[in-house]
Amino acid sequence: MFKIAIIAMAIGYYLSCFKIPKEWEELKFEAIELKTPPSLDGPLKMDYVIDNAEILFKDEMIRPESIVIEEDAIYVSAMNELVKIVNGKIVKKIFISTTKECLKSPIPSCGCPLGIRRLNKDLFIFADGVNGLSTVNFETGDIKTLIHAGKNYNGYSVSFANDVDVLDEENVFFTDSSWLYDETNPYPAFFGELNTGRVYKYNIKSDTLTLLIDEMYYANGIQILPDKKSFIVSETLTARIYRYYFDGPKNGSTEIFMDNLPGHPDNLRLSSDKKFLWIALAMPRISGKYESVDTLLKYPSIRKILHNYMPHSILTAVFKYFNDPRNSKVYGLAIEADLNGKIQRSFHSPEGNVNNLSQLTDDGKFLYFCSYANPFLARIEL
Ligand SMILES: *[C@@H]1O[C@H](CO)[C@@H](O)[C@H](O)[C@H]1NC(C)=O
Ligand SMILES: *[C@@H]1O[C@H](CO)[C@@H](O)[C@H](O)[C@H]1NC(C)=O
């Protein structure tokens, strides 16, 4: 008992010596109880479909997070580069940073193109997890930053732009996974399980940013639905997808679109026939297996201590160690849902050959799998 009292006093003293940064005072830590993950049967039945996928462009790009497919061309956003592939060959690479180090062995601070979409006849728009929101012209190689990370736009600033979708040539919706951290240091948003994610509308012509959804537990993939009145957005940490209406009778309201997914969702994309949704699960939640994200969500005071009072460098090292595919087998999982959010089908990689999925996109013939951790694209025949 005496020992415990001494330890408690020591911890109390240690905590009282800390002065936390001002913006951390705004952080709210709340308890969230997720349901037990769904069991792997019915449309979630286990298979080896992605384990046996065809691997393309191995080691030719690092972490190809997102793609756009148009006829014979595939446009890829990867670490420090945007890549154009035509008829199965890389025909162009555009680099975000052209320093020697970044060209040789890119790291996140070089530039992190994430979700990418076509904006108009000439340009693509992409979220960059470090720099903000930018456009690229694949023919001329010009990159233009529209929203600069860290810049103040009437009281708001973007830190970790992650995915974007295009309403029309002037208006886009995009996610900021965390206003506090960016891709060079994403881990505190995970061990603190912070609700610092946001969704914005951005008008390119008038350069105005409008906040649509605040306090998300890591806002991630975004996809406008064919009704053109709503979009869906992934909330990675809570394994949930929300639907937000920006037009029509429900304008301005948010509802849950899919809950208790068998994993933490990343990018969302419509199938090429616009009848289904491809949902990449960045980290699966396998029923019966220990899940650190789910467990931590239940304990706000532990998250607060971890985030506010413990050395981030040590926690990051621990987090990285346990999540390194070399130290633990990483299950790959992705799902297909209908436009009402009902799961239709799933794709598994129990061996972990293709894991850490960030996006699925099809061209009617093949279904491509992108990964935020692997150095290749994978595909299966549909
Ligand atoms: C939807 O609501 C927003 C404010 O929440 C408003 O600015 C916008 O004009 C509305 N759109 C329509 C189509 O009513
Ligand atoms: C890959 O996914 C696993 C969970 O399946 C996760 O723990 C790990 O953090 C991911 N890898 C990276 C590099 O983020």
Side-chain angles (χ1 to χ4, degrees), residues 47-59:
D47 60 34
Y48 288 86
V49 166
I50 343 181
D51 266 330
N52 297 319
E54 182 185 356
I55 304 294
L56 305 168
F57 307 106
K58 188 155 195 301
D59 296 324

Side-chain angles (χ1 to χ4, degrees), residues 187 282-284 319 322-325 329-331 355-356 372-373:
Y187 300 100
M283 293 172 275
F319 193 90
F322 282 107
N323 291 323
D324 188 327
K329 199 152 122 181
V330 176
Y331 198 108
N355 51 42
N356 297 89
Y372 65 90

Side-chain angles (χ1 to χ4, degrees), residues 134 185 207 259 269 310 317:
S134 308
N185 180 29
D207 190 31
D259 198 11
R269 289 296 184 268
M310 302 297 257

Side-chain angles (χ1 to χ4, degrees), residues 88-89 92 103 175 194 220 224 231 238 258 262 295 343 357:
K89 287 210 170 60
K92 186 150 196 171
L103 292 179
T175 54
L194 306 181
N220 203 326
I224 297 171
F231 60 71
T238 60
M258 291 176 83
T295 310
I343 296 176
L357 297 169

Side-chain angles (χ1 to χ4, degrees), residues 210-375:
T210 311
L211 178 68
L212 300 182
I213 312 179
D214 200 0
E215 298 194 351
M216 285 189 79
Y217 287 85
Y218 202 94
N220 203 326
I222 188 162
Q223 172 65 57
I224 297 171
L225 292 184
D227 67 1
K228 291 262 163 53
K229 292 180 170 58
S230 62
F231 60 71
I232 52 173
V233 57
S234 297
E235 188 175 60
T236 300
L237 292 171
T238 60
R240 215 171 256 166
I241 297 172
Y242 287 97
R243 180 174 189 173
Y244 176 90
Y245 293 84
F246 54 83
D247 199 348
K250 292 187 179 174
N251 186 20
S253 64
T254 307
E255 57 194 40
I256 290 178
F257 182 71
M258 291 176 83
D259 198 11
N260 198 30
L261 289 165
H264 300 278
D266 200 320
N267 283 354
L268 312 165
R269 289 296 184 268
L270 270 179
S271 60
S272 58
D273 61 11
K274 298 191 165 46
K275 290 186 179 146
F276 294 97
L277 294 160
W278 303 122
I279 301 169
L281 301 173
M283 293 172 275
R285 298 168 68 227
I286 305 293
S287 186
K289 284 210 178 135
Y290 174 71
E291 232 276 325
S292 59
V293 175
D294 288 32
T295 310
L296 265 180
L297 271 177
K298 284 190 245 176
Y299 302 108
S301 42
I302 294 181
R303 274 151 48 205
K304 186 171 180 174
I305 290 174
L306 289 178
H307 182 275
N308 287 7
Y309 303 109
M310 302 297 257
H312 284 191
S313 52
I314 294 178
L315 289 174
T316 297
V318 172
F319 193 90
K320 274 189 175 162
Y321 177 83
F322 282 107
N323 291 323
D324 188 327
R326 283 168 300 189
N327 303 322
S328 60
K329 199 152 122 181
V330 176
Y331 198 108
L333 181 59
I335 53 180
E336 175 188 334
D338 67 15
L339 296 180
N340 298 311
K342 192 166 182 299
I343 296 176
Q344 302 296 311
R345 222 195 326 183
S346 58
F347 309 89
H348 301 241
S349 170
E351 297 295 333
N353 292 347
V354 181
N355 51 42
N356 297 89
L357 297 169
S358 51
Q359 187 177 309
L360 279 66
T361 297
D362 79 288
D363 59 5
K365 194 156 174 260
F366 291 100
L367 176 61
Y368 290 79
F369 297 84
C370 307
S371 161
Y372 65 90
N374 294 323

